[in-house]
């Protein structure tokens, strides 16, 4: 379900497999990340510091005790944890304003407004409407695969840095911009998803989106996680789509 990427006295950084929810809930069995980790480590105090979608793979921070959890939540609140993702999207996005990432990387930044319904559905608007939340994402194209889409469109491999971290933000926002994440059954287009297959010739089951990098800013001395101050943890995306 997950591999340990790094560990400190108070934190576990794991690489979660796609298709596994991070926690239990309605309709979710015991096969969820936090229950598996608690069982494997024989530590019932293990707790998630943040969440990623069930079908998104990649890095998740897990606190080993209550103090570790509250101190990690504090870091998120103070914008001292920066999360970067990788995604394969249809087309070549070219919108947004020039922006600089936390480490000086040059990006474009796209903004919008996100509406979340009581049913948990997410909609993106260009004009703010009552109840909408502001969203912002920085992105850059790392690689382009020409003529890979169903109508001869390119496919882009994006690196994304979250400015805000809302529910389904990347998937909903880029679909709204006309560049859905490949394999995304919620926000993508069926025709597009059906066009692609996995490297072993099967139907693409999961969205091609991975949490690939977690960067810590300057952690204050009185925070239990001072030992990860200024550190970056990084993995590659585990894409499973055949692109010519």
């Amino acid at each position: 379900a997950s591999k340990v990427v790094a560990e400190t006295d108070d934190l576990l950084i794991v690489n979660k497999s796609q298709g596994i929810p991070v926690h239990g809930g309605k309709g979710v069995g015991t096969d969820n990340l936090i229950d598996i980790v608690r069982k494997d480590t024989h530590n019932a105090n293990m707790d998630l510091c943040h969440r990623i979608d069930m079908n998104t793979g990649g890095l998740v921070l897990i606190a080993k005790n209550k103090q570790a959890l509250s101190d990690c939540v504090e870091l998120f609140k103070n914008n001292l944890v920066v999360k970067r993702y990788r995604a394969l999207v249809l087309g070549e996005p070219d919108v947004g304003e020039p922006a600089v990432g936390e480490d000086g990387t040059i990006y474009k930044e796209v903004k919008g407004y996100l509406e979340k319904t009581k049913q948990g559905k997410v909609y993106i608007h260009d004009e703010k409407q009552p109840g909408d939340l502001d969203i912002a994402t920085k992105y850059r194209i790392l690689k382009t695969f020409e003529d890979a889409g169903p109508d001869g469109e390119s496919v882009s491999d994006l690196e994304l840095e979250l400015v805000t971290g809302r529910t389904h933000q990347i998937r909903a926002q880029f679909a709204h911009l006309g560049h859905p994440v490949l394999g995304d059954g919620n926000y993508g287009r069926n025709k597009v998803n059906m066009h692609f297959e996995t490297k072993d010739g099967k139907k693409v089951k999961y969205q091609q989106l991975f949490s690939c990098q977690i960067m810590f800013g300057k952690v204050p001395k009185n925070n239990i996680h001072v030992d990860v101050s200024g550190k970056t943890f990084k993995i590659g995306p585990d894409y499973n789509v055949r692109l010519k």
Side-chain angles (χ1 to χ4, degrees):
S2 66
K3 291 196 281 291
V4 175
V5 173
E7 185 170 2
T8 70
D9 289 347
D10 301 286
L11 265 189
L12 209 53
I13 302 176
V14 301
N15 177 4
K16 179 184 87 68
S17 304
Q18 289 177 293
I20 292 185
V22 288
H23 56 69
K26 211 170 73 192
V28 173
T30 47
D31 277 354
N32 65 79
L33 180 68
I34 195 62
D35 284 351
I36 293 167
V37 168
R38 283 172 183 159
K39 202 169 124 196
D40 288 353
T41 56
H42 306 292
N43 177 357
N45 293 319
M46 289 277 186
D47 234 322
L48 298 160
C49 299
H50 61 109
R51 296 184 298 214
I52 64 174
D53 293 344
M54 174 165 117
N55 293 333
T56 300
L59 298 176
V60 181
L61 296 175
I62 296 175
K64 294 186 182 180
N65 51 63
K66 292 273 182 284
Q67 180 71 47
L69 179 63
S70 63
D71 279 17
C72 195
V73 167
E74 203 56 34
L75 296 180
F76 274 100
K77 263 200 200 124
N78 294 313
N79 299 320
L80 291 170
V81 184
V82 175
K83 290 159 64 186
R84 281 185 179 162
Y85 285 75
R86 291 277 297 278
L88 292 176
V89 303
L90 189 70
E92 294 176 57
D94 191 29
V95 287
E97 298 296 318
V100 180
E102 283 300 318
D103 59 359
T105 303
I106 302 297
Y107 290 106
K108 284 190 165 166
E109 183 170 343
V110 282
K111 294 179 175 175
Y113 304 98
L114 182 145
E115 172 194 357
K116 190 176 176 186
T117 66
K118 286 191 175 67
Q119 293 75 35
K121 269 196 170 0
V122 165
Y123 298 95
I124 306 294
H125 308 290
D126 295 319
E127 303 290 325
K128 188 157 193 171
Q129 296 175 26
D132 283 4
L133 299 167
D134 295 29
I135 53 168
T137 311
K138 296 173 185 174
Y139 76 93
R140 63 183 178 130
I141 298 177
L142 298 181
K143 189 174 177 188
T144 305
F145 300 88
E146 302 285 338
D147 198 27
D151 296 318
E153 310 94 328
S154 309
V155 164
S156 299
D157 183 358
L158 301 186
E159 176 180 87
L160 307 118
E161 184 173 297
L162 287 183
V163 181
T164 58
R166 315 283 187 201
T167 307
H168 300 181
Q169 176 175 317
I170 292 170
R171 295 162 54 202
Q173 188 173 25
F174 278 80
H176 175 75
L177 295 171
H179 303 287
V181 175
L182 302 193
D184 184 349
N186 266 9
Y187 302 101
R189 292 202 287 274
N190 198 33
K191 176 191 164 185
V192 173
N193 292 339
M194 296 302 286
H195 169 80
F196 295 98
E197 44 183 50
T198 60
K199 288 166 186 167
D200 54 2
K202 296 192 171 78
K203 187 173 178 272
V204 175
K205 239 168 82 174
Y206 301 121
Q207 62 225 18
Q208 300 301 298
L209 175 66
F210 291 87
S211 161
C212 283
Q213 204 171 325
I214 291 177
M215 299 153 67
F216 289 93
K218 197 164 169 35
V219 177
K221 292 266 190 295
N222 62 351
N223 188 296
I224 203 169
H225 301 300
V226 73
D227 53 354
V228 293
S229 185
K231 288 192 176 168
T232 293
F233 299 91
K234 192 174 178 179
I235 57 164
D238 194 12
Y239 294 142
N240 189 14
V241 171
R242 186 187 289 149
L243 295 168
K244 52 182 179 203

